[in-house]
Amino acid sequence: DLLYWTLPPTWKLHTLIQDLRTNIDMALSNRANLVRFIEQHSDVVLEGRNRWTQSCSHGRDSEGYACGMWALLHICSVGVAERHTAVLGGRERATTAHAALTVRNYVQHFFQYVCGHQCQSDFMAMYDKCGFHHCKRFKQITKKNTKPKEESWKEFALWLHEVHNDVTLRLISAEAALHGRKRLTFEEEEAAIWPSTHSCRLCYDGKGKWNRDNVFNYLRTEYWPGGIHNWRFVVLDKNEYASAPRPKFRVERWTLIRAGMIVVAVFLVADIARQRYLLRTGRYKKFDHHDHYV
């Protein structure tokens, strides 16, 4: 559901996602069924491509999965900000907090295959302790009948950006520890942080801290396709208002009579004015077959 909501609407991957959503019980009944569902859409989704992009594999066939997964999460995080206005029904499931919780649960069940058990445990511990202040950052508090502030939808993408950098530093530090080094050098830390000052100079302010607006713009440029999108509304749950009985539109009889009298009076006044105009000027206008002035 998170992918269905947040991925660019023009992506052909939606055909596979929607098929899985519609037939989720059958797809998850056994491994063979899940593989069959995926293979049915492989020609459309992959379009003949069966390798990771160069930016993720770096030319090595065995590399790319972890990078691809992080890229997908970043795309979803930007999609939360880009696609929130297109969600119908299930509004509680279209929030930054719900999106982050979904990612957290995915990490719990599947991320061990991406970066190992320790990486998985560190992520969950970070999240469960409100790492990077997400408990406050994802509270899209609103007054009654008002919408969350527009900038609040960007928080998930900015939070995930910080988390990803933290995970990268942890992995590099762990690798350095295997070689007997307790701390990374300044140059190593600088090289690990993404984007670098070389890639995005405007992502940093004068004090070397993140410029939030420019970081989000960079993420959007990096992960969200440009051009005009075929706007697609997404229904996550049945809209609670759809099944509610609609109030009957009742009009009192006297109100209808008064409205009719006003309409007749307007036509009479217009006709009298027209007749007076013709008598006074001696000019007669032609009429078309619909009795309209020409």
Side-chain angles (χ1 to χ4, degrees):
D1 284 347
L2 180 64
L3 296 176
Y4 184 67
W5 158 33
T6 58
L7 290 183
T10 54
W11 279 17
K12 295 179 180 180
L13 185 60
H14 280 286
T15 60
L16 170 59
I17 295 171
Q18 178 59 9
D19 199 5
L20 290 173
R21 291 176 76 244
T22 305
N23 303 283
I24 189 66
D25 291 334
M26 183 181 297
L28 297 183
S29 60
N30 57 68
R31 177 183 176 84
N33 276 351
L34 179 59
V35 172
R36 180 172 56 83
F37 271 101
I38 295 173
E39 288 181 343
Q40 285 177 346
H41 297 275
S42 61
D43 290 341
V44 174
V45 173
L46 296 178
E47 297 181 330
R49 296 169 296 184
N50 59 359
R51 295 178 181 272
W52 295 103
T53 59
Q54 176 67 24
S55 60
C56 276
S57 67
H58 302 290
R60 297 186 293 270
D61 291 340
S62 60
E63 300 289 334
Y65 183 75
C67 172
M69 282 304 310
W70 275 110
L72 182 62
L73 295 180
H74 283 298
I75 293 167
C76 288
S77 70
V78 174
V80 169
E82 293 293 314
R83 300 278 298 151
H84 71 275
T85 57
V87 180
L88 302 177
R91 298 301 303 176
E92 73 284 352
R93 296 174 60 200
T95 62
T96 53
H98 182 82
L101 179 61
T102 301
V103 171
R104 181 256 182 234
N105 292 339
Y106 176 82
V107 170
Q108 177 183 0
H109 294 290
F110 300 104
F111 225 61
Q112 179 178 349
Y113 307 102
V114 178
C115 64
H117 178 73
Q118 187 60 48
C119 172
Q120 177 189 44
S121 300
D122 290 342
F123 185 97
M124 291 171 57
M126 174 278 300
Y127 183 93
D128 294 343
K129 294 178 181 178
C130 292
F132 298 95
H133 310 291
H134 72 77
C135 294
K136 293 182 178 180
R137 296 170 67 174
F138 296 159
K139 282 187 176 180
Q140 295 178 295
I141 300 175
T142 63
K143 295 181 180 179
K144 188 176 181 180
N145 298 325
T146 61
K147 297 180 179 179
K149 293 182 179 180
E150 195 64 28
E151 59 268 23
S152 70
W153 295 99
K154 301 177 181 179
E155 284 298 331
F156 179 44
L158 295 170
W159 175 82
L160 189 66
H161 163 256
E162 296 174 32
V163 169
H164 193 175
N165 275 323
D166 182 66
V167 170
T168 302
L169 286 173
R170 285 175 178 269
L171 290 174
I172 293 177
S173 297
E175 186 175 348
L178 292 176
H179 296 83
R181 296 168 50 203
K182 295 182 178 180
R183 298 187 61 178
L184 297 176
T185 64
F186 176 79
E187 289 74 19
E188 287 175 325
E189 290 185 356
E190 282 284 298
I193 298 299
W194 175 85
S196 64
T197 54
H198 177 73
S199 300
C200 182
R201 182 176 58 82
L202 296 178
C203 289
Y204 299 84
D205 60 19
K207 299 180 180 179
K209 295 183 179 181
W210 295 116
N211 181 308
R212 291 164 48 82
D213 290 337
N214 289 338
V215 168
F216 180 80
N217 291 336
Y218 181 88
L219 293 171
R220 189 181 186 280
T221 301
E222 190 75 11
Y223 290 110
W224 196 257
I228 299 175
H229 291 268
N230 178 22
W231 196 252
R232 176 186 299 177
F233 283 97
V234 174
V235 180
L236 291 180
D237 274 335
K238 187 175 181 180
N239 194 320
E240 60 182 347
Y241 300 108
S243 58
R246 297 182 178 181
K248 294 183 178 180
F249 183 65
R250 299 183 60 185
V251 181
E252 298 295 335
R253 180 163 49 178
W254 176 240
T255 302
L256 290 174
I257 293 174
R258 289 178 62 186
M261 291 174 63
I262 292 173
V263 172
V264 172
V266 169
F267 277 104
L268 287 175
V269 170
D271 188 66
I272 292 171
R274 180 176 64 85
Q275 294 293 339
R276 287 182 177 180
Y277 173 81
L278 295 176
L279 291 173
R280 186 174 67 252
T281 63
R283 298 171 62 188
Y284 292 86
K285 291 183 177 289
K286 295 181 180 179
F287 295 87
D288 63 12
H289 63 284
H290 294 297
D291 290 337
H292 292 153
Y293 289 118
V294 295

